[in-house]
Amino acid sequence: MPTSFIQPEFKVKIDYDKCHKCGRCVQQCGWGVYNFNERPIPDDSKCRACHRCVTYCPAHCISIEKNQLAYRDNDNWSPAARKAVWRQAETGGVLLTSMGNPLPYTRIFDHLVLDACQVTNPSIDPLREPMELRTFIGHKPDSVGVEPDGNGGFRLAEGEGMKNNLMLDTPILFSPMSYGSVSLNVHKSLAMAAQRLGTFMNTGEGGLHADLFPYQDNVIVQVASGRFGVSPDYLSRGAAIEIKIGQGAKPGIGGHLPGEKINKEVSSTRMIPQGTDAISPAPHHDIYSIEDLRQLIYALKEASGYKPVGVKIAAVHNVAAIASGIVRAGADYVYLDGFKGGTGAAPQVIRDHIGIPIEIAIAAVDQRLRDEGIRNWASVIAAGSIRSSADVAKAIALGADAVAIGSASLMALGCHLCQSCHTGSCSWGITTQKPELTRRIDPEWGAEQLTNLVHAWSHELQEILGALGVNAIESLRGSRERLRSIGLDEQMNKVLGVKPAGM
Amino acid sequence: MTTERPRYAEEASYKIHGGCGLMGICDESGKLMSGEDAILAMAVQHDRGNGLGGGFAGYGIYPEFPDHFAFHMMYHDIQAKEEVEALFDQYFLVDLAEPMPTRPVKGITDAPLLWRYFLNPYPSKLEESELSAEDYVVKAVMNINSSVDGAFVASSGKNMGVFKGVGYPEEIGHYFRLEEYEGNTWTGHNRFPTNTPGWWGGAHPFALLDWTIVHNGEISSYGINSRYLEQFGYKCTLGTDTEVAAYLFDLLLRRHKLPMELACKALASPLWDEIDRMPEAEQAVMRSLRSVYGPGMLNGPFAIVLGFNGGMVALNDRIKLRPLVAARKGSILMVASEESAIRAVIAEPDSVWMPKAGEPTIARVKGMDWPIHGDLHLDPSEISCAVTGTERSCDTVEVTA
């Protein structure tokens, strides 16, 4: 019997004429691809195409190629489908994977285009004019009550005005990613970058390591179904609290951090024994309906002195009604995670087949909240594959207050989307707890990379706003009139509230 | 019997872009000025329009009927007039009905039938309706605009009137013999639409009751402004920029009871940089205003003059992308798109200045009350088409009057 029907996905090619025989590739590879016997000998079957060795090879003599093994043509039974059957026949298990949904669903963002000013109104030059991206996340009242201040001016009347909002210098946050799934150095990079950028990172459900305390004013602390790391101290440190109900990559299921990733530091941060699997239940066992959510929201507010409390949900079919319920339950923001969002580990069948695209979720939720007259009551944060500043602008034009980036931020730290986070062997030192790998990220460098990325996108956002002839992000927010669709059907245009180009 | 008549409440089924010129003058002492001044101010701004729309609003012009609602009507034909007059007879006591005094002016063609009516709600009907007189009148305006094809209410306030049409403003002014009127406040407008609707009702000022708005600009944030207003029940599908400005003032001033100064600050917000430098209490107000009313902020170039019984307010966009000049001479405050317009009317002003971006220029007539809407309690959905005049929004208005 063969040990496996599955052939290696990639071929590692080394140009031995150029190879220095330095062994750098052996040392760099987290997957154990290379053996060294006078020269590096690759085992193709272990390669994840993460390009760590390629990047670090001083001779540039390594290339990774697709294994062009021919399969008998069959549109129905793609090679991937056949491999999945073979793998499950061999293991009897659920197929695990990570990062976002790679299947070729319609990418709606790529079918939306933005407007620009010509003649009848002027475009604005962001190099010469102010261009404001400041964004407040949280509950806003429907109106502002003022009273004369006695000096000819006005002051807020008792109990009036906006309270307890998060102030962002740019409408881009970092998505929740737990310490445990990513390394402490990644968390530090995110926290430092968030502080420099005037935005927020999010602990995910892994607790807040003491090394991040200096950055706590730029940290959103998450409360998920496993309650890992949650304590009164934890709640008091965060700038805001987020209840995680679901995640775009794995709606409806819980989380699983394997015991191998639970070292001493992770264990103390999560407040669980070292080496044990950290399993978050699928539902919160104290939230079986919307009224339970309301209780938790207010419990957390009471416990934290009324910090903003947000609720993160996966974008699913009924997302508009759910979001409306969440807003009415008292949440200060709703975090919508689309089905292309990343994950540190998820069953492949769930990642690839459950949930809806973020574009649709934003449109449906924003419209529903407006229809019900409660759009001001909570902010909408959108995530689930925001790939560029264009995606940010389109998400905001559809109605999001801000976006969160996870995959893109990890890419800034070296992630090559090899979809192997769950193995804990990330060669880039991102989704691993192995000290020899985690030290590959210097938080100072990581913060710089992340800051650069968000700065670059923010500049591009300013250029887009200028072309649109507005000088503040709130004038783009929900302004679907500035979007047109190309190649979407009428029904989809209706759902998105967007006209086709030409109209 | 069916006749082919245009829906007068409709301008176009798409958004009309355009640039414009405008003016406003107010004698805060309440002294009356001839309409000739307003014509003059617009005449020197001739090139800011293209002959496809001009108009004026005058306040205090009907001293002989100060307590009557003055309806300025446009009719496509006699049948429309008869239908409207039947409605008037049913709901109002009309004390005077007469054709608008006009004179032939070269360049003015295709004028609709223009009539004016001085009327008051029929007392028993008003009582029966349990509405304030103002609400009652707005409902009637809305009813006419939405249900009588070929009829349009140009204005409906007390002791004021709107005179507008297709043509250059100086032609329109002379056509309506404005030099024969005297008012304490005048506003004027010269339109440069980028298409040729040729619709008299589409010229500015837009009016509801005594409230008028003239507007030069293109609201680049129209998309979100209109969606924001829809949340409060206003209907602005396929309307004009001017319509969102009008509704936003209604929302902030009448429904949310913000003082005029702050309403203007919400619509043309200071930059965050400026807000961050304000004293703490003021900062708290501005932060809240900007965050709460951000979706209503008018972004993009505009200059607006709001007129009402009691004064006027002129406002520029937040970075002053459209011209607006102001001047004072004694108790007279004047604003215009161009300084030439001011100097044509006021030979030697005491001071001339450029109002800063987002800083309202306010004139208040001495001794006159401010609640600019009178006793108005209407739901926003009920006043939609009265201001906009778009067919789409008229169709969605429920008429109960």
Side-chain angles (χ1 to χ4, degrees):
Chain A
M1 294 292 116
T3 50
S4 174
F5 299 129
I6 298 163
Q7 299 308 309
E9 205 143 346
F10 306 102
K11 281 200 173 302
V12 182
K13 295 251 172 95
I14 301 173
D15 183 346
Y16 288 115
D17 290 344
K18 288 192 193 163
C19 178
H20 296 178
K21 323 282 189 288
C22 66
R24 181 84 65 93
C25 49
V26 184
Q27 176 201 4
Q28 290 298 324
C29 183
W31 317 106
V33 167
Y34 296 96
N35 260 319
F36 199 83
N37 188 357
E38 291 184 358
R39 59 185 194 177
I41 315 287
D43 174 354
D44 292 344
S45 68
K46 292 180 177 165
C47 179
R48 308 274 174 159
C50 81
H51 294 188
R52 179 78 188 184
C53 58
V54 176
T55 310
Y56 278 83
C57 173
H60 303 295
C61 70
I62 306 176
S63 65
I64 312 289
E65 291 172 6
K66 269 191 185 162
N67 186 358
Q68 297 287 11
L69 202 56
Y71 291 82
R72 171 73 70 183
D73 283 347
N74 190 322
D75 271 358
N76 190 37
W77 282 102
S78 66
R82 283 175 241 189
K83 283 185 214 170
V85 168
W86 291 328
R87 179 155 286 132
Q88 293 191 293
E90 286 164 16
T91 63
V94 171
L95 295 178
L96 271 188
T97 185
S98 27
M99 295 315 286
N101 187 337
L103 296 189
Y105 292 97
T106 304
R107 290 183 302 275
I108 297 170
F109 279 137
D110 296 345
H111 291 266
L112 294 174
V113 288
L114 287 151
D115 194 15
C117 291
Q118 298 287 290
V119 184
T120 54
N121 45 356
S123 44
I124 302 173
D125 189 339
L127 294 175
R128 294 171 177 80
E129 302 281 350
M131 200 55 74
E132 303 183 307
L133 299 180
R134 186 182 289 184
T135 297
F136 286 90
I137 296 293
H139 172 92
K140 289 158 199 82
D142 290 331
S143 61
V144 179
V146 295
E147 59 190 18
D149 65 1
N151 300 316
F154 298 92
R155 62 175 175 234
L156 290 174
E158 181 73 27
E160 290 284 340
M162 176 183 73
K163 295 180 193 73
N164 300 339
N165 271 239
L166 297 179
M167 188 175 95
L168 281 65
D169 287 341
T170 185
I172 303 168
L173 305 94
F174 296 121
S175 304
M177 290 176 281
S178 71
Y179 171 43
S181 74
V182 297
S183 72
L184 185 57
N185 282 345
V186 170
H187 250 211
K188 284 184 194 165
S189 304
L190 290 165
M192 288 161 71
Q195 192 178 59
R196 289 175 199 176
L197 289 162
T199 183
F200 295 84
M201 67 88 75
N202 188 315
T203 58
E205 62 169 324
L208 183 70
H209 191 278
D211 287 2
L212 268 66
F213 290 173
Y215 310 101
Q216 64 190 27
D217 291 345
N218 293 85
V219 175
I220 298 172
V221 295
Q222 205 180 59
V223 173
S225 60
R227 297 289 195 272
F228 299 126
V230 178
S231 69
D233 179 64
Y234 173 74
L235 298 177
S236 72
R237 287 185 185 278
I241 300 166
E242 179 174 289
I243 300 170
K244 179 198 176 182
I245 300 293
Q247 184 177 343
K250 40 182 175 178
I253 71 166
H256 179 186
L257 189 67
E260 302 87 73
K261 280 178 125 174
I262 317 279
N263 61 21
K264 185 164 169 289
E265 292 290 306
V266 174
S267 129
S268 65
T269 308
R270 291 207 173 207
M271 305 174 184
I272 54 170
Q274 205 171 329
T276 57
D277 288 8
I279 297 178
S280 326
H284 286 245
H285 284 302
D286 55 357
I287 304 177
Y288 278 20
S289 187
I290 192 79
E291 64 273 19
D292 298 337
L293 176 69
R294 183 181 179 84
Q295 294 203 10
L296 182 58
I297 289 173
Y298 279 92
L300 292 172
K301 287 189 180 192
E302 286 289 339
S304 66
Y306 277 75
K307 284 184 177 165
V309 174
V311 176
K312 174 178 173 178
I313 53 167
V316 290
H317 301 181
N318 209 14
V319 66
I322 298 163
S324 161
I326 290 171
V327 174
R328 290 182 186 282
D332 294 271
Y333 69 83
V334 184
Y335 183 124
L336 303 170
D337 202 13
F339 82 150
K340 293 198 194 88
T343 175
Q348 191 172 315
V349 64
I350 303 282
R351 184 195 69 177
D352 294 353
H353 300 282
I354 295 190
I356 64 170
I358 189 58
E359 300 91 326
I360 293 174
I362 300 169
V365 168
D366 176 67
Q367 190 56 49
R368 176 67 65 90
L369 297 183
R370 286 179 193 284
D371 289 347
E372 297 187 12
I374 55 175
R375 183 63 185 84
N376 254 26
W377 295 9
S379 300
V380 173
I381 299 176
S385 201
I386 300 293
R387 301 158 302 168
S388 64
S389 59
D391 286 357
V392 179
K394 292 170 189 178
I396 289 176
L398 282 172
D401 288 272
V403 301
I405 55 169
S407 298
S409 56
L410 295 190
M411 276 183 248
L413 300 177
C415 170
H416 279 55
L417 285 184
C418 75
Q419 304 181 22
S420 310
C421 320
H422 56 291
T423 64
S425 300
C426 176
S427 297
W428 291 95
I430 299 169
T431 55
T432 176
Q433 301 304 330
K434 296 178 182 170
E436 69 275 21
L437 296 177
T438 58
R439 70 175 181 218
R440 290 180 175 184
I441 289 182
D442 168 10
E444 189 52 53
W445 168 86
E448 171 104 13
Q449 292 279 110
L450 290 161
T451 309
N452 282 344
L453 175 71
V454 175
H455 271 160
W457 285 15
S458 301
H459 282 309
E460 289 176 343
L461 272 181
Q462 291 176 322
E463 293 285 348
I464 290 170
L465 288 182
L468 289 164
V470 297
N471 52 13
I473 192 77
E474 58 258 48
S475 297
L476 174 62
R477 187 166 293 129
S479 200
R480 300 181 189 174
E481 176 63 24
R482 308 312 294 275
L483 289 172
R484 291 291 185 274
S485 74
I486 293 177
L488 295 178
D489 61 38
E490 205 178 329
Q491 198 67 28
M492 180 66 76
N493 287 335
K494 209 173 143 197
V495 168
L496 295 171
V498 168
K499 294 178 200 158
M503 277 180 76
Chain B
M1 179 183 137
T2 57
T3 44
E4 283 289 316
R5 284 184 304 176
R7 285 193 65 104
Y8 248 33
E10 174 189 31
E11 172 147 34
S13 58
Y14 43 85
K15 188 161 170 274
I16 294 173
H17 301 259
C20 311
L22 49 76
M23 63 78 62
I25 188 166
C26 173
D27 193 326
E28 294 186 306
S29 71
K31 225 166 69 192
L32 302 180
M33 296 166 284
S34 156
E36 186 69 35
D37 290 344
I39 296 176
L40 193 57
M42 292 316 299
V44 295
Q45 301 186 89
H46 176 93
D47 285 350
R48 300 191 69 83
N50 61 1
L52 291 174
F56 300 88
Y59 291 88
I61 57 172
Y62 293 131
E64 63 275 33
F65 290 103
D67 297 320
H68 285 67
F69 290 96
F71 271 59
H72 284 195
M73 295 297 308
M74 296 178 175
Y75 299 121
H76 181 259
D77 53 31
I78 289 288
Q79 193 197 333
K81 175 170 174 283
E82 283 169 357
E83 285 178 32
V84 169
E85 287 182 349
L87 278 172
F88 283 162
D89 283 345
Q90 207 178 336
Y91 294 104
F92 295 97
L93 284 172
V94 179
D95 282 320
L96 179 64
E98 61 181 6
M100 293 289 292
T102 59
R103 68 160 69 88
V105 170
K106 198 181 158 206
I108 300 294
T109 52
D110 296 331
L113 301 176
L114 298 163
W115 279 67
R116 68 183 172 199
Y117 303 81
F118 296 93
L119 44 77
N120 266 313
Y122 206 87
S124 62
K125 297 258 170 152
L126 177 62
E127 203 172 325
E128 209 176 287
S129 71
E130 297 184 348
L131 297 170
S132 69
E134 281 79 8
D135 285 347
Y136 187 92
V137 167
V138 172
K139 280 192 183 248
V141 170
M142 169 195 80
N143 189 2
I144 293 167
N145 284 351
S146 63
S147 65
V148 184
D149 284 359
F152 182 77
V153 186
S155 65
S156 51
K158 286 179 182 173
N159 202 4
M160 59 78 67
V162 166
F163 308 85
K164 64 181 183 179
V166 174
Y168 284 100
E170 64 274 20
E171 297 168 351
I172 293 290
H174 285 132
Y175 178 77
F176 281 106
R177 311 167 76 112
L178 285 191
E179 72 280 3
E180 294 171 6
Y181 297 80
E182 291 200 313
N184 57 48
T185 305
W186 288 93
T187 65
H189 190 261
N190 190 3
R191 195 174 186 218
F192 198 133
T194 47
N195 63 356
T196 54
W199 181 61
W200 280 54
H204 294 209
F206 280 101
L208 183 66
L209 293 173
D210 65 310
W211 192 16
T212 63
I213 188 162
V214 292
H215 168 228
N216 167 22
E218 167 86 17
I219 310 291
S220 307
S221 56
Y222 175 84
I224 183 55
N225 299 149
S226 57
R227 291 188 76 217
Y228 178 64
L229 286 163
E230 280 164 15
Q231 214 179 307
F232 293 94
Y234 299 91
K235 298 192 172 70
C236 8
T237 22
L238 301 174
T240 63
D241 289 341
T242 314
E243 141 198 66
V244 300
Y247 292 163
L248 282 164
F249 274 110
D250 182 60
L251 176 72
L252 301 187
L253 297 172
R254 181 173 67 88
R255 301 188 67 209
H256 289 179
K257 304 197 167 22
L258 282 178
M260 178 62 85
E261 291 83 349
L262 293 189
C264 290
K265 292 284 180 199
L267 297 182
S269 304
L271 301 167
W272 284 118
D273 275 357
E274 300 171 83
I275 295 171
D276 291 346
R277 290 195 297 269
M278 290 174 180
E280 206 173 315
E282 196 183 349
Q283 197 180 111
V285 173
M286 275 318 306
R287 270 182 178 234
S288 287
L289 274 185
R290 228 191 124 167
S291 306
V292 171
Y293 294 109
M297 181 167 82
L298 295 170
N299 212 323
F302 71 84
I304 281 175
V305 182
L306 271 180
F308 40 86
N309 275 326
M312 65 173 191
V313 173
L315 181 67
N316 247 157
D317 64 80
R318 62 199 306 251
I319 56 171
K320 203 165 174 87
L321 294 171
R322 284 284 155 95
L324 187 70
V325 192
R328 184 172 276 287
K329 168 101 179 169
S331 59
I332 295 177
L333 183 75
M334 184 171 176
V335 294
S337 298
E338 296 179 13
E339 189 174 335
S340 60
I342 290 173
R343 294 196 181 271
V345 177
I346 305 174
E348 283 176 11
D350 301 337
S351 57
V352 177
W353 70 96
M354 298 283 249
K356 282 188 189 151
E359 291 285 340
T361 305
I362 300 178
R364 299 169 194 239
V365 177
K366 212 169 80 186
M368 290 190 73
D369 287 342
W370 259 62
I372 62 172
H373 271 285
D375 192 11
L376 199 61
H377 311 278
L378 285 174
D379 183 82
S381 64
E382 299 178 289
I383 61 169
S384 294
C385 74
V387 180
T388 71
T390 67
E391 182 174 27
R392 191 60 77 84
S393 57
C394 289
D395 284 345
T396 56
V397 170
E398 284 202 355
V399 179
T400 52

